Amino acid sequence: MRLMIFSDIHGNIGALEAALEHSRDKGVHRYICLGDIVGYGPHPNECIAIIKSLKNCRCVAGNHDVAALWETSPYGMSPDAKEAILWTMDQLTPHNKAFLKSLPDRIDFSEMTFAHANPYNPRGWRYVTDRKYALRSFAGTRSRLSFIGHSHRPLVITRTNILMLDIRSVSGLLEFKIPEPKRCIVNCGSIGQPRDRDPRPCYLVFDTRRQLLQFYRVSYDTAKSAQAVFDSCLPRSLGMRLLKGI
C-alpha cells in the first residue's frame, strides 16, 4: 500500500492543488491528511471541499481546525494566527464546520499512528523536534511508526535503542528506508506554509511493503497565493511568508 501523507494546508488552495497533481503518478492508494486544513490562508472552504472529495482519505484535526470551531481559544495563538482564525470563523460554511468537528485527534491502524502534533497528547499541541518530546511520543503509542505535522518542517526521528535517537532534518527530495525493526517518528512537512526556508509544498509517500519514505517538494505559483492573502485582508505577513518559506 502506498500512502500520500500531508499536513498543514492552511487554506492555501494553490499549494494543495499542486501537491495533489504532482502525486497523481505516484501510485497512491490512500490519502492521510494530518490536519490544519484551515487557518492563515484565504481559501478554507475550498480546501475542505478538496479534502472531502478525495477517495480513501482520512484526516485528523489540527490546532487551527479546532480553534476555528472555538473548541480551543484563538487568543492563545500569535496575533497573526488569531486574526486569521477569527476571519476563518466568519468564512466557514455550516457543513464545513461540521466536517471539522467530526475529525478525530488521532488515527491508529496497521502499526501506524497519525496525529497532527504528537501521539501522546494530541491536543497539547507540543512540537516534536527534540529528544524530550520524541521520547514522550514513542512512549505514547505502541505503533512502530508515528506520522505528524504541526512544525511545518519535515523530519525523521529514529529510535536507535532505548535511549538513543537519530534526528534527521529533511531537505529537498529524499528517499529514506525505515530500518527494521526500528521505530520512527516522521514529520511530513507542510503543504500550505512551509517553514524550512523552502517555499515549495512538502508531502511524502510511504510504501508500506517496501518500508520506504519518499519526500517530495512541488513548485507552484507562490506569488499568486500570496496575492490572494493580500486581497483577503488577512495579515500581510502571512502572504510574505509564502514567498520565503518561513
Side-chain angles (χ1 to χ4, degrees):
M1 181 169 59
R2 289 174 62 81
L3 308 176
M4 178 186 178
I5 302 171
F6 58 100
S7 188
D8 297 279
I9 299 162
H10 286 299
N12 186 339
I13 191 171
L16 177 59
E17 289 177 336
L20 291 173
E21 178 63 28
H22 186 268
S23 73
R24 282 191 178 182
D25 64 353
K26 303 298 183 292
V28 172
H29 302 113
R30 282 190 178 187
Y31 300 89
I32 307 289
C33 175
L34 299 182
D36 274 4
I37 305 172
V38 306
Y40 294 132
H43 296 112
N45 289 305
E46 294 87 341
C47 289
I48 292 173
I50 289 174
I51 296 301
K52 289 164 68 175
S53 73
L54 293 174
K55 294 182 179 179
N56 299 317
C57 180
R58 299 187 69 181
C59 186
V60 299
N63 56 310
H64 288 254
D65 302 323
V66 300
L69 302 173
W70 271 111
E71 291 186 9
T72 59
S73 173
Y75 288 91
M77 294 177 155
S78 70
D80 285 350
K82 178 199 71 177
E83 186 174 340
I85 285 294
L86 295 176
W87 180 91
T88 298
M89 288 176 177
D90 292 336
Q91 309 303 313
L92 287 172
T93 67
H95 285 298
N96 285 338
K97 288 181 180 178
F99 172 76
L100 293 180
K101 192 171 183 64
S102 74
L103 298 179
D105 294 333
R106 169 174 153 169
I107 296 171
D108 296 273
F109 72 87
S110 188
E111 291 194 328
M112 294 179 287
T113 291
F114 302 89
H116 178 66
N118 65 73
Y120 68 90
N121 182 13
R123 292 212 177 186
W125 312 123
R126 294 288 188 183
Y127 293 99
V128 182
T129 56
D130 60 20
R131 185 176 183 276
K132 176 182 178 180
Y133 292 111
L135 288 174
R136 289 187 182 183
S137 295
F138 281 121
T141 175
R142 294 184 178 181
S143 298
R144 192 168 73 88
L145 304 177
S146 294
F147 293 91
I148 59 173
H150 193 46
S151 72
H152 299 214
R153 295 179 176 92
L155 186 74
V156 178
I157 303 174
T158 305
R159 189 163 196 170
T160 55
N161 60 44
I162 193 169
L163 294 176
M164 298 296 293
L165 304 178
D166 176 64
I167 301 177
R168 177 177 182 177
S169 296
V170 176
S171 179
L173 307 180
L174 176 73
E175 286 194 358
F176 181 83
K177 180 80 170 178
I178 296 178
E180 295 276 6
K182 303 298 185 184
R183 300 181 70 196
C184 288
I185 299 168
V186 183
N187 191 310
C188 64
S190 170
I191 292 289
Q193 197 193 78
R195 294 180 185 169
D196 58 351
R197 299 193 177 277
D198 184 342
R200 296 176 298 168
C202 182
Y203 74 93
L204 69 84
V205 173
F206 177 50
D207 189 313
T208 60
R209 181 179 62 83
R210 299 167 62 198
Q211 292 291 288
L212 182 68
L213 299 169
Q214 297 168 300
F215 288 85
Y216 295 101
R217 303 304 288 245
V218 183
S219 296
Y220 82 112
D221 192 341
T222 54
K224 182 178 179 180
S225 287
Q227 188 61 50
V229 174
F230 304 150
D231 293 343
S232 69
C233 297
L234 287 163
R236 186 173 180 85
S237 63
L238 298 179
M240 296 302 296
R241 347 180 33 154
L242 300 182
L243 303 175
K244 300 178 180 179
I246 58 174

